[in-house]
Amino acid sequence: MAEEVTISSHIQHHLTNAKMCSTDTGLAFNNACEDSGFWTWHIDTLAWSIGLGLIFLWIFRSAAKKSTIGVPGKFQCFIEMIVEFVGDNVRDTFHGKSKLIAPLALTIFVWIFLMNLMDLIPVDFLPAFAGFVGENAFGMDSHDVYMKIVPTTDINLTAALALGVFILMIGYSIKIKGITGFIAELTLHPFSSNNKIAMIFLIPCNLLLELIALVSKPFSLALRLFGNLYAGELIFILIGAVGLMQLPLHFVWAVFHILVIVLQAFVFMMLTVVYLSMASSDNH
């Protein structure tokens, strides 16, 4: 029983975000934020996602500054391969005209890949380091110090990414079709009739079906990315619970998980481009 409790607490600790919230007495952290409600900030998710986003910008800016017309170096070749790979997929998938889509797709792919890549770091390493710092520098109980280093295992981040895509979908639909065209798309399809009375009854059905189809797109984006990375992280945590034997097992699972890391970044990028292409199309 003691072993089960230890493993359970180990898993729970690794699945808990570092939190910050505002209370009547000022800023509070972690366990003090249990009843703080909606406005609770997951500071580990924010820090790692923003930091990895800055790393992405720095890498590609460095590549752009060092680019040469002649024979490129290995670093430049690698970056150009990524840009060409994303560009080819965008050209094959997006059928509208927009200068935003290719840079957006590149940002989504590389940024999500970098966030997913954090899953390959042994699960006990950085959280244990954070606990050590909290205990020795701030006098905290190390068990009350939390750190989740994989931002895409936080549903709040994947939902935020999906919400951004959803806003772009609405924006492109209104830009291409106009407000009246967008409303007509939601209300006059898929069922239609030349009889005006029948059409009055069909409009609510069309609206319900189209709204479900529209809202399901960002939901699928958020839940697919979160679910796959959360499951992978949970397996890493279970491996970490075995103690000294975790590194060989971690390596075996990490080799397989590399496919998930790359694939989920690619799927999120491609679905984003597909959804924006559909939103930019004049045809329903």
Side-chain angles (χ1 to χ4, degrees), residues 9 12 18 42 59 62 70 100 120 131 133 140 143 156 167 175 177 182 198 211-212 222 229 250 254-256 264:
S9 61
Q12 186 61 41
H42 288 182
I59 290 174
S62 298
L100 174 66
L120 298 185
V133 173
M140 302 172 63
H143 295 290
N156 296 282
I167 292 172
K175 178 182 177 181
K177 305 157 191 171
F182 179 57
L211 285 177
I212 292 175
L229 270 296
H250 179 98
V255 170
F256 170 77
Q264 289 307 312

Side-chain angles (χ1 to χ4, degrees), residues 268-280:
F268 197 103
M269 177 196 76
M270 288 304 300
L271 287 178
T272 297
V273 176
V274 168
Y275 293 158
L276 293 178
S277 180
M278 294 170 62
S280 302

Side-chain angles (χ1 to χ4, degrees), residues 23-238:
T23 63
D24 296 336
T25 57
L27 290 177
F29 297 90
N30 295 332
N31 294 336
C33 296
E34 292 296 329
D35 300 320
S36 58
F38 179 79
W39 290 110
T40 300
W41 299 85
H42 288 182
I43 52 179
D44 46 5
T45 295
L46 290 171
W48 285 109
S49 61
I50 293 171
L52 291 168
L54 292 175
I55 289 174
F56 156 68
L57 295 175
W58 175 75
I59 290 174
F60 278 75
R61 184 174 183 272
S62 298
K65 289 178 65 176
K66 295 177 181 178
S67 62
T68 58
I69 299 177
V71 179
K74 294 180 180 179
F75 175 65
Q76 184 180 335
C77 281
F78 177 69
I79 297 299
E80 287 179 355
M81 285 174 59
I82 296 175
V83 173
E84 290 177 5
F85 170 75
V86 173
D88 290 342
N89 281 281
V90 170
R91 281 189 290 271
D92 293 339
T93 307
F94 186 77
H95 303 297
K97 292 183 179 179
S98 176
K99 295 181 179 180
L100 174 66
I101 302 301
L104 175 67
L106 178 65
T107 301
I108 286 174
F109 177 69
V110 179
W111 191 25
I112 292 179
F113 170 75
L114 290 175
M115 290 190 286
N116 293 350
L117 193 63
M118 297 298 291
D119 216 2
L120 298 185
I121 299 176
V123 293
D124 288 326
F125 181 69
L126 290 176
F129 178 74
F132 175 81
V133 173
E135 183 176 3
N136 291 276
F138 301 99
M140 302 172 63
D141 186 341
S142 61
H143 295 290
D144 293 332
V145 179
Y146 304 101
M147 178 180 288
K148 284 182 67 177
I149 64 172
V150 188
T152 43
T153 61
D154 187 346
I155 187 63
N156 296 282
L157 182 125
T158 60
L161 292 174
L163 179 61
V165 174
F166 183 69
I167 292 172
L168 286 174
M169 287 167 53
I170 302 299
Y172 269 84
S173 292
I174 293 175
K175 178 182 177 181
I176 301 298
K177 305 157 191 171
I179 295 179
T180 55
F182 179 57
I183 294 174
E185 183 180 68
L186 294 177
T187 55
L188 302 181
H189 303 277
F191 305 114
S192 61
S193 174
N194 294 326
N195 188 305
K196 293 183 179 180
I197 296 177
M199 199 63 209
I200 291 174
F201 288 99
L202 290 175
I203 284 176
C205 297
N206 289 335
L207 182 61
L208 177 63
L209 291 174
E210 289 296 318
L211 285 177
I212 292 175
L214 185 65
V215 173
S216 67
K217 293 174 182 176
F219 263 100
S220 68
L221 282 176
L223 294 178
R224 181 182 291 104
L225 180 59
F226 165 74
N228 281 277
L229 270 296
Y230 188 88
E233 179 71 359
L234 185 58
I235 293 176
F236 277 124
I237 293 170
L238 291 172

